[in-house]
Amino acid sequence: MGMFDFLRGPSIDEGVREYHDTDGAVLLDVRTPQEFAQGHVPGSVNVPLQELNRVTAVVPDPATPLFVYCQSGGRSGQAVAALQRAGYTAAKNIGGMSSYTGEVER
């Protein structure tokens, strides 16, 4: 662990592993439908940041663990803040697809 590790954003690879290890969790991709179609983490659900108000139709229980990602980690950070304001108590920003090294689904 280096002195400047705190400057790095969340690790999407670690977040995906944690998602797989968490019962009942939802992997939430907040990128646009076009970005999602170009490649996403297998098992993820696409609810674009601009349409986040419809997350209740996908995840009705606000206690559901949510692992949220986007392209770089910025939009997912905004989404987590909005989800928390909406009462979702277990939303976590896991970063962006740009640093994802796992399998991609199209």
Side-chain angles (χ1 to χ4, degrees), residues 30-41:
V30 296
R31 298 176 301 154
T32 66
Q34 295 81 8
E35 289 172 304
F36 185 78
Q38 291 172 359
H40 53 273
V41 179

Side-chain angles (χ1 to χ4, degrees), residues 1 3 5 7 10 20-21 23 25 29-30 32 36-37 44 51-52 56 69 74 77-78 81 94 96 101 103-105:
M1 185 155 159
M3 187 163 87
D5 283 350
L7 293 174
H20 285 295
D21 292 341
D23 289 337
D29 183 327
V30 296
T32 66
F36 185 78
S44 59
E51 300 171 21
L52 203 57
T56 56
Y69 72 93
Q78 292 174 33
I94 63 168
T101 61
E103 181 183 338
V104 173
E105 188 173 85

